[in-house]
């Protein structure tokens, strides 16, 4: 069964410090991974997806198949990055293509 | 483009009552999902539709939950009778199947069962 683990429930950093939100996954096939973010009082929204290798709002995430990880990183955190972050794995085939399995989320707080 | 619309935003009911949630996906999105997000947990898929057919409802508690997507557009999720543990945010999302862009979530309906 597929599983996504975010080991940190809470993460606090100061503005300008580097931040890394950890995500590990378990999946038998070739994974498709995403990071979603939920700012206060806003809907859940896509931050980035590993397949596009993009950087959004200064965040990047690299898929490491050997370590089955997809950690989210940003070199210099900003106060506006404070939010709940979810790592998610997508079923890449079969009838449930598109189903997302989410981790439990990490609340990031960036202090001034 | 308009986003995924959900209503109501909030609902408080007593246990054993029934409740229904409505979702209108993004126009043209064939796939629609209902997720349940219990406080402190990540969203969990309840049911996935492809057009008006059910693709995956393996985690839907079918003794009390039901969902339909008539005409392959709007969808309704119903709980009858509700239990205290059904208190959660119910999220609807839609995607364009075959395009790996993730998908778009609605604002959700926050259900409190007392």
């Amino acid at each position: 069964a597929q599983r996504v683990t975010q080991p940190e429930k809470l993460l606090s950093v100061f503005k300008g410090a580097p931040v890394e939100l950890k995500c590990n996954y378990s999946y038998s096939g070739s994974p498709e991974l995403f990071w979603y973010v939920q700012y206060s009082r806003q809907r859940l929204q896509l931050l980035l997806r590993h397949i596009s290798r993009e950087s959004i709002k200064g965040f990047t995430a690299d898929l490491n198949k050997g370590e089955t990880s997809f950690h989210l990183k940003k070199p210099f955190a900003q106060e506006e990055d404070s939010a709940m972050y979810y790592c998610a794995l997508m079923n890449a085939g079969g009838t449930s293509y598109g189903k997302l399995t989410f981790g439990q989320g990490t609340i990031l707080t960036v202090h001034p | 483009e308009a986003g995924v619309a959900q209503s109501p935003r909030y609902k408080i009911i007593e246990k054993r009552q029934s409740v229904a949630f409505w979702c209108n996906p993004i126009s043209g999105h064939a796939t629609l999902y209902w997720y349940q997000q219990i406080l402190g947990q990540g969203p969990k898929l309840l049911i996935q539709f492809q057009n008006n057919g059910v693709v995956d409802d393996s985690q839907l508690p079918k003794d009390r939950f039901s969902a339909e997507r008539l005409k392959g557009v709007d969808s309704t999720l119903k709980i009858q009778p509700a239990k205290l543990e059904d208190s959660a945010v119910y999220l609807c999302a839609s995607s364009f199947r075959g395009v790996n862009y993730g998908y778009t979530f609605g604002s959700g309906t926050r259900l409190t069962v007392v």
Side-chain angles (χ1 to χ4, degrees):
Chain A
Q2 60 198 61
R3 188 169 62 246
V4 176
T5 304
Q6 292 179 251
E8 302 142 328
K9 196 88 173 169
L10 302 168
L11 185 61
S12 289
V13 300
F14 285 99
K15 177 183 173 181
V19 63
E20 180 179 66
L21 291 86
K22 291 184 168 51
C23 171
N24 289 90
Y25 66 90
S26 172
Y27 187 59
S28 57
S30 185
E32 294 184 12
L33 288 150
F34 302 81
W35 278 97
Y36 280 81
V37 61
Q38 189 166 27
Y39 301 103
S40 180
R41 294 194 176 89
Q42 294 187 27
R43 63 184 66 192
L44 194 60
Q45 56 187 283
L46 178 66
L47 179 62
L48 57 78
R49 48 201 172 108
H50 93 271
I51 198 169
S52 60
R53 296 183 172 275
E54 58 203 344
S55 173
I56 303 294
K57 299 183 179 182
F59 284 98
T60 59
D62 291 319
L63 176 61
N64 185 324
K65 292 186 178 181
E67 296 183 358
T68 60
S69 69
F70 188 56
H71 303 328
L72 183 68
K73 300 177 184 179
K74 185 169 183 177
F76 308 103
Q78 303 299 315
E79 290 178 68
E80 55 265 31
D81 296 328
S82 296
M84 171 72 94
Y85 291 81
Y86 291 100
C87 181
L89 184 152
M90 178 177 282
N91 270 38
T95 56
S96 294
Y97 174 78
K99 169 185 173 182
L100 284 175
T101 299
F102 286 85
Q104 294 208 330
T106 298
I107 299 173
L108 173 65
T109 303
V110 182
H111 300 284
Chain B
E1 64 180 0
V4 176
Q6 287 189 249
S7 67
R9 287 297 306 274
Y10 306 93
K11 191 74 178 179
I12 301 175
I13 62 172
E14 295 183 349
K15 59 183 178 183
R16 290 187 290 274
Q17 286 188 323
S18 62
V19 64
F21 313 127
W22 173 83
C23 172
N24 179 239
I26 291 174
S27 178
H29 281 196
T31 313
L32 184 146
Y33 312 82
W34 283 101
Y35 281 80
Q36 180 192 56
Q37 186 173 18
I38 294 172
L39 187 65
Q41 300 180 18
K44 182 187 79 172
L45 181 70
L46 290 175
I47 189 166
Q48 176 181 347
F49 290 94
Q50 177 68 18
N51 296 309
N52 61 348
V54 175
V55 171
D56 183 351
D57 64 356
S58 57
Q59 298 193 79
L60 186 73
K62 298 180 188 65
D63 58 333
R64 297 183 301 105
F65 286 64
S66 64
E68 60 183 9
R69 190 182 184 196
L70 299 176
K71 301 180 182 178
V73 181
D74 293 4
S75 177
T76 304
L77 176 69
K78 296 179 182 177
I79 307 175
Q80 183 180 10
K83 292 185 175 181
L84 296 177
E85 58 261 36
D86 299 331
S87 294
V89 175
Y90 291 84
L91 297 167
C92 180
S94 67
S95 72
F96 183 60
R97 183 180 171 93
V99 180
N100 188 14
Y101 291 120
Y103 38 77
T104 305
F105 283 89
S107 297
T109 296
R110 182 178 297 277
L111 173 67
T112 303
V113 183
V114 298

